[in-house]
Amino acid sequence: MTQNTKTITLDIEGMTCSGCSSHIEKDMRKIKGILNSSVNHETGKGEFTFDENQLNKTTLVTAINAIGNYKVKNDVKKEDCGTTSSNQENSKDSHIENNHFDLIIIGGGSAAFSAAIKAESLGLSTLMVNAGLDFGGTCVNVGCVPSKNLIRAAETAYHASHSNFKSIKPKGADIDFSQLINDKKKLVATLQQKKYMDVVSDFKNLTMLKGWAEFLDHKTIIVNGKYTYTAIKFVIATGATTNIPNIEGLNDVGYLTNVSLFDLEEKPKSLTIMGAGYIGLEIAQAYNRLGVKVRIIEFTDRPLRSQTKDITDVLETQLKKEGIEILPNFRAFKFEKKDGDTIIHCNCPDGSTTKIIEKGRVVVATGTKPNTSKLGLENIDVNLTKSGHISVNEKMETNISTVYAAGDVANTPAFVYTAATEGNIAITNAFTGENKTTDYTSLPWVVFTDPQIAGAGMDELEAEKAGISFEVSKLELKDVPRAIAANDTRGFIKLIRNTETDKLIGARVIAPEGGELIQQLSMAIKYEISIKELAESFYPYLTLSEGIKLAAITFGKDVSKLSCCAS
């Protein structure tokens, strides 16, 4: 019998976290006749595609109501491949008449929009198909923008009760947590509209479609199991999501991720954060400064294990000083609920086990995984890495000539600015033959803790592994006039030079607002500036950037014995 597919969107009450949405999705997929289910706890909506020959709307609603404490509201919205053309919303129950395009982009984040912008400049007919997060993707909706907004707000609260000067005694801050989160939501909505939707609003050749895309072959996709579209070239830019570890009971305790945490308008009593990577650390410090008691469980020996120990020692000292509990070498193996509390069973460093009681919420920040499932990649034999990322070369090409990938879904650095570059490169190479390539040798990055951690190029361990003859200069901030004047000497500036060429090959900074230094160092690496040139350049006195000059001088002199401004 031929399938008679239909897609409906339902408003679902009772969801509080990503575990809820996953629970509904998993149970609904077990029902005969359900072709696809996609549920978002943040919007409270679930999109279900089903075969009307096997079940109807009433049966579907009844099935959802039977799962846990969830309930479908009365209103049902039809959204069979709702389209946006020239960015005018069209919620009609219809599909796009034209089903062939020059380019199909799967995804709706930074890489996808960058690809669409480049495609428009080339006059290419383009279809963008997006599911999951709203158009704009992770950065603006649930990542960079909301996190940095909350981090800066938390910093303001912290300085309202902490001073670097004995003569100034701050009296604390009155925090309206609900207002803070609502202001954050407004900011996200504004930037999502201005920096994404408005940018493409007058595009003549772009059609935007909400739906789940799967490859049927290397020239064809099917959306929501219903409508097929073909293209000359494809760009997969579906991003990544939190990697939820397979731990007994975790899915039953109502855990949060950054996606759901950032929308909680009621301040949690406390948080246990699973994972001490950059996401977990930024969340920990921000929420702790906003008055939430925070604990971090990390299965390795220290936070931010990707960086050298001298860096993480400085950060760990600050986090502990602020009252954050860090449990290194602890590995959770079971979660359970008891009397409203979450009981976390852990293996301890000494081989024993312990029970940790969390009266607030559990946040999972154990890294990310690429969004490659349910894309039908097995139908086109695209090569994946061991981590599940789509394997691309420096031209963003996959092993399939018609398919490119860009952004967090690919085996490239996972930053919004690299994703944007990759989206542009993918389209350029797919349609112009220009053969543009990526070069991440001098890539700058920042972790927005306080002090901030920033880097570009190699650190000393990477230089040693590469067999490069190198030398390290490390300047403590206690020797930087700006830091001395500010009574804040936490951290250091570290430069790595090639001893054979005197060229800068890497830099690491941990300092208050240290991220503001890293672009200069990145440019120095990219354009092969020598340490001698860095040391002899002019820097404004009493700026943090003067520390770069002093760090360069440190290769040959003890700067603690130099006069101010001397070189």
Side-chain angles (χ1 to χ4, degrees):
M1 181 184 294
T2 303
Q3 282 186 348
N4 182 17
T5 60
K6 183 175 183 178
T7 299
I8 62 173
T9 298
L10 302 173
D11 292 320
I12 305 172
E13 297 177 324
M15 294 188 292
T16 60
C17 67
S18 55
C20 298
S21 55
S22 298
H23 183 192
I24 296 172
E25 287 180 348
K26 182 179 179 181
D27 282 18
M28 291 304 291
R29 291 189 189 118
K30 296 177 182 177
I31 298 174
K32 187 176 182 180
I34 292 288
L35 304 177
N36 186 62
S37 63
S38 178
V39 182
N40 188 325
H41 71 279
E42 294 178 300
T43 61
K45 297 184 184 298
E47 184 177 275
F48 304 92
T49 302
F50 59 96
D51 183 356
E52 287 190 296
N53 294 325
Q54 299 188 59
L55 74 162
N56 55 30
K57 179 192 119 181
T58 302
T59 306
L60 192 149
V61 170
T62 301
I64 295 172
N65 290 341
I67 302 172
N69 297 315
Y70 313 116
K71 181 176 177 59
V72 176
K73 295 181 182 179
N74 293 329
D75 295 335
V76 178
K77 301 177 182 178
K78 294 181 179 179
E79 198 175 77
D80 283 11
C81 301
T83 65
T84 304
S85 186
S86 297
N87 258 46
Q88 297 302 311
E89 284 287 345
N90 178 3
S91 60
K92 292 187 288 186
D93 187 13
S94 62
H95 66 93
I96 304 166
E97 291 185 8
N98 173 36
N99 71 341
H100 180 74
F101 296 85
D102 296 323
L103 169 69
I104 292 179
I105 303 167
I106 304 175
S110 175
F113 270 76
S114 177
I117 292 168
K118 181 62 179 179
E120 183 73 11
S121 73
L122 297 175
L124 302 173
S125 61
T126 303
L127 172 65
M128 183 188 295
V129 186
N130 183 53
L133 291 175
D134 202 353
F135 286 109
T138 295
C139 182
V140 70
N141 289 302
V142 299
C144 321
V145 170
S147 67
K148 276 51 182 181
N149 177 254
L150 294 178
I151 287 169
R152 190 60 92 181
E155 181 183 289
T156 302
Y158 180 76
H159 287 298
S161 57
H162 296 78
S163 172
N164 294 326
F165 296 86
K166 294 180 180 179
S167 57
I168 298 175
K169 297 176 174 59
K171 298 181 179 180
D174 183 11
I175 302 173
D176 186 336
F177 193 84
S178 178
Q179 181 65 50
L180 174 63
I181 299 302
N182 279 312
D183 288 346
K184 183 271 304 179
K185 290 179 180 178
K186 291 176 183 177
L187 174 66
V188 167
T190 298
L191 292 181
Q192 193 264 351
Q193 184 65 39
K194 287 186 175 181
K195 296 299 183 182
Y196 289 88
M197 306 309 288
D198 287 353
V199 169
V200 299
S201 62
D202 61 350
F203 282 16
K204 306 299 182 184
N205 303 303
L206 174 64
T207 300
M208 302 174 75
L209 177 64
K210 292 182 179 180
W212 196 276
E214 295 181 71
F215 280 95
L216 295 180
D217 56 47
H218 67 285
K219 292 183 179 180
T220 312
I221 62 168
I222 186 168
V223 177
N224 289 343
K226 189 171 185 180
Y227 300 113
T228 59
Y229 303 95
T230 59
I232 299 170
K233 300 287 185 179
F234 294 82
V235 173
I236 303 173
T238 49
T241 190
T242 303
N243 181 35
I244 307 300
N246 184 21
I247 301 176
E248 181 184 347
L250 178 58
N251 289 333
D252 301 321
V253 298
Y255 67 82
L256 304 171
T257 66
N258 62 297
V259 176
S260 47
L261 173 66
F262 292 158
D263 275 353
L264 282 184
E265 295 183 18
E266 183 178 351
K267 186 166 69 175
K269 295 179 181 177
S270 57
L271 294 175
T272 292
I273 299 173
M274 309 300 297
Y278 76 93
I279 295 175
L281 293 174
E282 289 180 356
I283 289 172
Q285 191 172 41
Y287 275 78
N288 184 73
R289 288 178 165 189
L290 292 171
V292 179
K293 180 64 178 175
V294 175
R295 172 195 298 117
I296 301 173
I297 295 177
E298 168 59 27
F299 73 91
T300 68
D301 63 334
R302 55 188 172 86
L304 207 64
R305 194 63 176 77
S306 60
Q307 299 306 305
T308 53
K309 190 174 184 300
D310 56 349
I311 291 174
T312 56
D313 282 350
V314 174
L315 180 61
E316 189 170 355
T317 296
Q318 179 64 30
L319 296 178
K320 289 181 177 179
K321 179 181 178 182
E322 293 185 22
I324 297 172
E325 182 183 9
I326 302 174
L327 300 176
N329 287 319
F330 275 66
R331 186 179 290 270
F333 63 86
K334 181 181 178 181
F335 289 79
E336 61 179 331
K337 277 287 189 182
K338 186 175 182 180
D339 298 329
D341 298 336
T342 300
I343 312 300
I344 308 170
H345 299 257
C346 290
N347 289 318
C348 303
D350 62 3
S352 64
T353 62
T354 189
K355 295 179 182 180
I356 295 172
I357 300 174
E358 174 52 67
K359 293 184 175 297
R361 304 297 295 269
V362 172
V363 178
V364 177
T366 48
T368 62
K369 64 177 181 179
N371 292 323
T372 54
S373 63
K374 299 186 292 183
L375 292 178
L377 298 184
E378 66 278 3
N379 296 328
I380 57 174
D381 294 323
V382 164
N383 287 341
L384 303 179
T385 66
K386 289 182 179 179
S387 61
H389 292 82
I390 296 176
S391 180
V392 297
N393 60 19
E394 68 278 4
K395 299 177 184 178
M396 309 319 297
E397 298 169 331
T398 70
N399 61 306
I400 306 300
S401 62
T402 57
V403 179
Y404 292 69
D408 293 2
V409 74
N411 61 326
T412 55
F415 302 103
V416 66
Y417 43 99
T418 56
T421 295
E422 291 166 7
N424 180 289
I425 288 176
I427 302 308
T428 300
N429 292 334
F431 290 96
T432 71
E434 190 177 324
N435 289 324
K436 289 182 69 174
T437 60
T438 55
D439 179 6
Y440 292 132
T441 305
S442 61
L443 177 69
W445 52 264
V446 181
V447 178
F448 288 87
T449 50
D450 178 23
Q452 292 177 359
I453 300 170
M458 298 179 173
D459 66 16
E460 57 268 45
L461 299 180
E462 292 167 329
E464 183 176 15
K465 186 177 180 180
I468 296 173
S469 177
F470 69 94
E471 185 180 5
V472 176
S473 163
K474 183 175 173 181
L475 177 75
E476 302 286 344
L477 257 64
K478 65 181 178 61
D479 292 317
V480 178
R482 171 57 180 258
I484 296 170
N487 280 349
D488 192 352
T489 57
R490 296 170 296 155
F492 56 81
I493 299 169
K494 180 162 56 177
L495 305 181
I496 299 95
R497 76 176 184 111
N498 185 320
T499 55
E500 296 177 355
T501 65
D502 195 42
K503 305 298 185 186
L504 182 70
I505 59 173
R508 296 293 182 270
V509 176
I510 179 165
E513 300 298 331
E516 303 304 323
L517 296 182
I518 205 62
Q519 186 59 37
Q520 178 187 348
L521 293 166
S522 171
M523 298 291 281
I525 296 168
K526 180 175 181 178
Y527 293 105
E528 299 183 335
I529 304 298
S530 69
I531 293 298
K532 183 175 184 292
E533 290 171 306
L534 287 175
E536 294 178 351
S537 295
F538 290 107
Y539 296 79
Y541 184 51
L542 288 175
T543 63
L544 192 59
S545 64
E546 186 188 16
I548 295 174
K549 175 187 181 77
L550 295 172
I553 292 174
T554 299
F555 278 107
K557 297 179 181 179
D558 182 355
V559 296
S560 67
K561 299 179 180 180
L562 295 178
S563 173
C564 293
C565 304
S567 59

